[in-house]
Amino acid sequence: MLRALECAGNPSSVHRAGRTARAIVEEAREQVAKFAGARPEDVIFTSGGSEANALAVYGAVQGTADTDRRISAIFSSPLEHDSVGANIASLSERMPGMRRAEFTANADGVLDLDALRLLLRKEPGRALVAVMAANNETGVIQPYCEAVTLVHEAGGLCLIDAVQAVGRIAFDFAAIGADYVSISAHKLGGPQGAGALIVRKNAPLLPLICGGGQEMGRRAGTENVAGIAGFGAAAAESLRLRSEETRRLTLLRDAFEENLQRIIPEAVILGRKVARLSNTSNFILPGITAETALMALDLDDIMVSSGSACSSGKVRPSRSLGAMGVSDELARCALRVSFGWSSVQADADAALAALGKLAVRMRARRAA
């Protein structure tokens, strides 16, 4: 990134500085493509995962010129990230004839493929289906390969939101056969504000941002050269260390959860019975709201996330947890801990100590 920042050239310019910038972007494109099991020409750089998801949703629906092949329905689940759900809702409002439906998940937070199969059979026309590779709150790995097969058998298109999953599990775009895959740099330890949509050859895609001919005419705007360079470097490093880091973080997370339940026996760990990402732990501390816990932990310099999504300053229960059958009352007590490349045992121990102190204080308050 420092090397890229020293280059003031525009990647679209033909002079030496422009060619230098272009070389940086294309080197990163090759690194990201190799990391995701794709061809360099399949990779469209974006400002992050949210833009990549928006580009896929709008681009797929509006990019099919053939009337017989147009998308007439969009299916997703309550597990999807808001960048998918909100764009589907927005598109449905702009296109009143577009049918929108959700399929469910089970109590472990795994997508119900039978419900998806039923939707695909029941709804006429061609569908765009959005499926997470792994949930961003629980870390539960979804049956995304099977979902792609179902969708293609029904003649539809499939978007895989792999933002949370890539770098944590083996992921091969070519082998999976998805039409669109969204990824983001900062989930790999790269910079914020850089991401990509990987698009299957000949999959329909109308640009969301028009103007210049950047990104092979599929996403206008001068490229974020330094961010893209960091994305490529993070992708290469993540690919090199993935197996080693997965083993290390799995041990760290599992030990954290075991000690959490020893310190706070009433803690409920979500998705523990099924395959999860190594870096994610989502748990409920009954009787302690997430807002209370976040503030208390922050005072102890422990930074975790809430299981709820915030909108306009108002906290609403997580749709993902609701889809798992978790009550609103308990969902408001959910916390997510994310372990990363810099996480060590001392961090887990400090978090456990802070959580234990909080639990003792809350029990005393309830007793009083």
Side-chain angles (χ1 to χ4, degrees):
M1 289 184 71
L2 291 174
R3 176 170 61 93
L5 285 168
E6 291 175 353
C7 174
N10 185 320
S12 297
S13 298
V14 296
H15 49 59
R16 184 185 304 163
R19 295 196 305 272
T20 299
R22 172 55 55 194
I24 292 171
V25 170
E26 295 311 317
E27 179 186 6
R29 197 184 310 278
E30 291 180 3
Q31 290 171 316
V32 171
K34 182 179 180 181
F35 165 74
R39 305 175 307 163
E41 57 265 35
D42 299 331
V43 177
I44 304 171
F45 286 120
T46 67
S47 63
S50 291
E51 186 195 331
N53 283 330
L55 175 58
V57 170
Y58 276 86
V61 172
Q62 299 182 335
T64 308
D66 186 349
T67 304
D68 294 333
R69 301 294 291 163
R70 282 182 183 167
I71 300 297
S72 57
I74 308 179
F75 304 146
S76 62
S77 80
L79 302 180
E80 300 308 312
H81 189 271
D82 280 349
S83 64
V84 171
N87 280 291
I88 290 175
S90 174
L91 187 62
S92 299
E93 290 174 3
R94 298 183 187 191
M95 302 178 68
M98 182 66 61
R99 297 185 304 281
R100 179 187 175 195
E102 285 192 335
F103 51 98
T104 57
N106 64 25
D108 291 317
V110 180
L111 293 174
D112 186 341
L113 291 180
D114 289 334
L116 172 58
R117 185 181 290 108
L118 185 62
L119 261 183
L120 290 167
R121 288 176 180 171
K122 184 175 67 173
E123 291 286 345
R126 195 183 194 196
L128 170 67
V129 180
V131 173
M132 268 189 160
N135 186 260
N136 59 307
E137 292 184 42
T138 64
V140 170
I141 299 171
Q142 302 300 325
Y144 56 93
C145 293
E146 294 90 333
V148 171
T149 299
L150 284 178
V151 173
H152 285 173
E153 286 175 350
L157 297 172
C158 194
L159 161 63
I160 301 298
D161 179 347
V163 168
Q164 198 72 19
V166 290
R168 309 296 179 190
I169 58 177
F171 193 92
D172 190 320
F173 175 74
I176 293 163
D179 302 285
Y180 314 94
V181 169
S182 55
I183 58 178
S184 184
H186 75 278
K187 295 294 184 180
L188 312 175
Q192 301 93 332
L197 180 67
I198 305 174
V199 183
R200 179 181 55 80
K201 184 180 180 181
N202 297 325
L205 191 77
L206 189 73
L208 186 63
I209 303 174
C210 300
Q214 292 91 349
E215 294 305 294
M216 297 156 277
R218 298 177 293 185
R219 196 271 189 182
T222 302
E223 292 92 344
N224 173 12
V225 178
I228 288 171
F231 190 2
E237 190 73 354
S238 180
L239 181 62
R240 184 177 72 85
L241 295 174
R242 185 183 61 218
S243 297
E244 175 187 331
E245 276 295 276
T246 296
R247 286 192 294 270
R248 185 182 75 84
L249 292 181
T250 298
L251 291 172
L252 187 61
R253 182 204 61 197
D254 289 350
F256 170 82
E257 291 179 344
E258 288 174 11
N259 284 316
L260 175 66
Q261 290 206 300
R262 177 178 56 80
I263 296 169
I264 311 175
E266 63 270 27
V268 178
I269 297 170
L270 300 170
R272 201 176 192 180
K273 297 178 182 177
V274 293
R276 290 180 294 160
L277 300 178
S278 60
N279 70 315
T280 305
S281 178
N282 191 297
F283 53 89
I284 293 170
L285 302 179
I288 307 176
T289 65
E291 296 94 321
T292 298
L294 287 172
M295 288 186 288
L297 293 173
D298 190 55
L299 290 173
D300 284 331
D301 205 26
I302 304 297
M303 289 164 280
V304 300
S305 299
S306 169
S308 300
C310 293
S311 177
S312 301
K314 296 180 180 179
V315 177
R316 58 180 173 82
S318 161
R319 294 189 77 231
S320 293
L321 301 193
M324 297 168 65
V326 177
S327 69
D328 287 356
E329 181 182 3
L330 285 177
R332 291 189 177 93
C333 301
L335 295 174
R336 181 187 71 178
V337 170
S338 298
F339 299 95
W341 59 269
S342 64
S343 300
V344 295
Q345 188 62 52
D347 299 319
D349 292 342
L352 288 166
L355 286 164
K357 185 171 67 174
L358 171 62
V360 169
R361 191 163 66 248
M362 295 305 291
R363 287 182 193 129
R365 184 177 298 176
R366 287 196 293 270

PDB file of all heavy atoms in Angstrom, residues 317-332:
ATOM      1  N   PRO A 317     -33.877  -6.470  17.151  1.00  0.00           N
ATOM      2  CA  PRO A 317     -33.361  -7.832  17.278  1.00  0.00           C
ATOM      3  C   PRO A 317     -32.816  -8.348  15.956  1.00  0.00           C
ATOM      4  O   PRO A 317     -33.306  -8.011  14.883  1.00  0.00           O
ATOM      5  CB  PRO A 317     -34.595  -8.628  17.723  1.00  0.00           C
ATOM      6  CG  PRO A 317     -35.509  -7.627  18.322  1.00  0.00           C
ATOM      7  CD  PRO A 317     -35.279  -6.358  17.557  1.00  0.00           C
ATOM      8  N   SER A 318     -31.803  -9.174  16.037  1.00  0.00           N
ATOM      9  CA  SER A 318     -31.182  -9.746  14.853  1.00  0.00           C
ATOM     10  C   SER A 318     -32.146 -10.642  14.093  1.00  0.00           C
ATOM     11  O   SER A 318     -32.776 -11.532  14.669  1.00  0.00           O
ATOM     12  CB  SER A 318     -29.952 -10.555  15.281  1.00  0.00           C
ATOM     13  OG  SER A 318     -29.576 -11.462  14.285  1.00  0.00           O
ATOM     14  N   ARG A 319     -32.245 -10.443  12.778  1.00  0.00           N
ATOM     15  CA  ARG A 319     -33.083 -11.305  11.950  1.00  0.00           C
ATOM     16  C   ARG A 319     -32.487 -12.708  11.866  1.00  0.00           C
ATOM     17  O   ARG A 319     -33.206 -13.699  11.776  1.00  0.00           O
ATOM     18  CB  ARG A 319     -33.238 -10.717  10.541  1.00  0.00           C
ATOM     19  CG  ARG A 319     -33.999  -9.404  10.503  1.00  0.00           C
ATOM     20  CD  ARG A 319     -34.299  -8.990   9.065  1.00  0.00           C
ATOM     21  NE  ARG A 319     -35.398  -9.770   8.524  1.00  0.00           N
ATOM     22  CZ  ARG A 319     -35.363 -10.421   7.371  1.00  0.00           C
ATOM     23  NH1 ARG A 319     -34.263 -10.419   6.638  1.00  0.00           N
ATOM     24  NH2 ARG A 319     -36.402 -11.090   6.926  1.00  0.00           N
ATOM     25  N   SER A 320     -31.168 -12.785  11.890  1.00  0.00           N
ATOM     26  CA  SER A 320     -30.513 -14.094  11.835  1.00  0.00           C
ATOM     27  C   SER A 320     -30.881 -14.938  13.049  1.00  0.00           C
ATOM     28  O   SER A 320     -31.224 -16.116  12.928  1.00  0.00           O
ATOM     29  CB  SER A 320     -28.994 -13.937  11.753  1.00  0.00           C
ATOM     30  OG  SER A 320     -28.602 -13.357  10.533  1.00  0.00           O
ATOM     31  N   LEU A 321     -30.824 -14.336  14.230  1.00  0.00           N
ATOM     32  CA  LEU A 321     -31.156 -15.074  15.438  1.00  0.00           C
ATOM     33  C   LEU A 321     -32.646 -15.376  15.492  1.00  0.00           C
ATOM     34  O   LEU A 321     -33.063 -16.438  15.961  1.00  0.00           O
ATOM     35  CB  LEU A 321     -30.726 -14.299  16.680  1.00  0.00           C
ATOM     36  CG  LEU A 321     -29.226 -13.962  16.781  1.00  0.00           C
ATOM     37  CD1 LEU A 321     -28.892 -13.477  18.192  1.00  0.00           C
ATOM     38  CD2 LEU A 321     -28.358 -15.150  16.411  1.00  0.00           C
ATOM     39  N   GLY A 322     -33.464 -14.438  14.991  1.00  0.00           N
ATOM     40  CA  GLY A 322     -34.899 -14.699  14.927  1.00  0.00           C
ATOM     41  C   GLY A 322     -35.213 -15.888  14.045  1.00  0.00           C
ATOM     42  O   GLY A 322     -36.103 -16.693  14.352  1.00  0.00           O
ATOM     43  N   ALA A 323     -34.478 -16.031  12.935  1.00  0.00           N
ATOM     44  CA  ALA A 323     -34.688 -17.166  12.034  1.00  0.00           C
ATOM     45  C   ALA A 323     -34.324 -18.487  12.696  1.00  0.00           C
ATOM     46  O   ALA A 323     -34.820 -19.551  12.305  1.00  0.00           O
ATOM     47  CB  ALA A 323     -33.867 -16.975  10.766  1.00  0.00           C
ATOM     48  N   MET A 324     -33.481 -18.426  13.716  1.00  0.00           N
ATOM     49  CA  MET A 324     -33.079 -19.628  14.449  1.00  0.00           C
ATOM     50  C   MET A 324     -34.044 -19.946  15.585  1.00  0.00           C
ATOM     51  O   MET A 324     -33.842 -20.907  16.323  1.00  0.00           O
ATOM     52  CB  MET A 324     -31.667 -19.447  15.010  1.00  0.00           C
ATOM     53  CG  MET A 324     -30.595 -19.266  13.947  1.00  0.00           C
ATOM     54  SD  MET A 324     -28.993 -18.724  14.615  1.00  0.00           S
ATOM     55  CE  MET A 324     -28.540 -20.151  15.617  1.00  0.00           C
ATOM     56  N   GLY A 325     -35.070 -19.122  15.753  1.00  0.00           N
ATOM     57  CA  GLY A 325     -36.040 -19.348  16.814  1.00  0.00           C
ATOM     58  C   GLY A 325     -35.671 -18.714  18.140  1.00  0.00           C
ATOM     59  O   GLY A 325     -36.314 -18.980  19.158  1.00  0.00           O
ATOM     60  N   VAL A 326     -34.645 -17.853  18.145  1.00  0.00           N
ATOM     61  CA  VAL A 326     -34.249 -17.157  19.372  1.00  0.00           C
ATOM     62  C   VAL A 326     -35.235 -16.016  19.618  1.00  0.00           C
ATOM     63  O   VAL A 326     -35.525 -15.233  18.721  1.00  0.00           O
ATOM     64  CB  VAL A 326     -32.812 -16.603  19.252  1.00  0.00           C
ATOM     65  CG1 VAL A 326     -32.426 -15.817  20.499  1.00  0.00           C
ATOM     66  CG2 VAL A 326     -31.824 -17.737  18.995  1.00  0.00           C
ATOM     67  N   SER A 327     -35.752 -15.929  20.825  1.00  0.00           N
ATOM     68  CA  SER A 327     -36.721 -14.878  21.147  1.00  0.00           C
ATOM     69  C   SER A 327     -36.060 -13.505  21.087  1.00  0.00           C
ATOM     70  O   SER A 327     -34.834 -13.376  21.234  1.00  0.00           O
ATOM     71  CB  SER A 327     -37.302 -15.098  22.545  1.00  0.00           C
ATOM     72  OG  SER A 327     -36.314 -14.869  23.533  1.00  0.00           O
ATOM     73  N   ASP A 328     -36.874 -12.471  20.882  1.00  0.00           N
ATOM     74  CA  ASP A 328     -36.344 -11.103  20.851  1.00  0.00           C
ATOM     75  C   ASP A 328     -35.641 -10.758  22.156  1.00  0.00           C
ATOM     76  O   ASP A 328     -34.607 -10.076  22.162  1.00  0.00           O
ATOM     77  CB  ASP A 328     -37.479 -10.105  20.602  1.00  0.00           C
ATOM     78  CG  ASP A 328     -37.977 -10.145  19.168  1.00  0.00           C
ATOM     79  OD1 ASP A 328     -37.396 -10.893  18.351  1.00  0.00           O
ATOM     80  OD2 ASP A 328     -38.954  -9.428  18.861  1.00  0.00           O
ATOM     81  N   GLU A 329     -36.210 -11.232  23.263  1.00  0.00           N
ATOM     82  CA  GLU A 329     -35.626 -10.932  24.582  1.00  0.00           C
ATOM     83  C   GLU A 329     -34.208 -11.481  24.688  1.00  0.00           C
ATOM     84  O   GLU A 329     -33.288 -10.788  25.145  1.00  0.00           O
ATOM     85  CB  GLU A 329     -36.507 -11.521  25.679  1.00  0.00           C
ATOM     86  CG  GLU A 329     -35.991 -11.244  27.085  1.00  0.00           C
ATOM     87  CD  GLU A 329     -36.850 -11.875  28.169  1.00  0.00           C
ATOM     88  OE1 GLU A 329     -37.827 -12.595  27.828  1.00  0.00           O
ATOM     89  OE2 GLU A 329     -36.548 -11.665  29.361  1.00  0.00           O
ATOM     90  N   LEU A 330     -34.013 -12.723  24.252  1.00  0.00           N
ATOM     91  CA  LEU A 330     -32.680 -13.316  24.316  1.00  0.00           C
ATOM     92  C   LEU A 330     -31.758 -12.735  23.244  1.00  0.00           C
ATOM     93  O   LEU A 330     -30.560 -12.553  23.480  1.00  0.00           O
ATOM     94  CB  LEU A 330     -32.768 -14.836  24.166  1.00  0.00           C
ATOM     95  CG  LEU A 330     -33.277 -15.601  25.385  1.00  0.00           C
ATOM     96  CD1 LEU A 330     -33.379 -17.090  25.076  1.00  0.00           C
ATOM     97  CD2 LEU A 330     -32.355 -15.388  26.595  1.00  0.00           C
ATOM     98  N   ALA A 331     -32.308 -12.458  22.063  1.00  0.00           N
ATOM     99  CA  ALA A 331     -31.492 -11.907  20.976  1.00  0.00           C
ATOM    100  C   ALA A 331     -30.865 -10.581  21.382  1.00  0.00           C
ATOM    101  O   ALA A 331     -29.768 -10.246  20.923  1.00  0.00           O
ATOM    102  CB  ALA A 331     -32.335 -11.740  19.721  1.00  0.00           C
ATOM    103  N   ARG A 332     -31.555  -9.828  22.232  1.00  0.00           N
ATOM    104  CA  ARG A 332     -31.015  -8.552  22.701  1.00  0.00           C
ATOM    105  C   ARG A 332     -29.849  -8.732  23.671  1.00  0.00           C
ATOM    106  O   ARG A 332     -29.198  -7.767  24.058  1.00  0.00           O
ATOM    107  CB  ARG A 332     -32.118  -7.721  23.351  1.00  0.00           C
ATOM    108  CG  ARG A 332     -33.159  -7.209  22.363  1.00  0.00           C
ATOM    109  CD  ARG A 332     -34.121  -6.214  22.999  1.00  0.00           C
ATOM    110  NE  ARG A 332     -35.061  -5.692  22.025  1.00  0.00           N
ATOM    111  CZ  ARG A 332     -36.268  -6.194  21.782  1.00  0.00           C
ATOM    112  NH1 ARG A 332     -36.684  -7.248  22.491  1.00  0.00           N
ATOM    113  NH2 ARG A 332     -37.052  -5.672  20.866  1.00  0.00           N
TER     114      ARG A 332
END
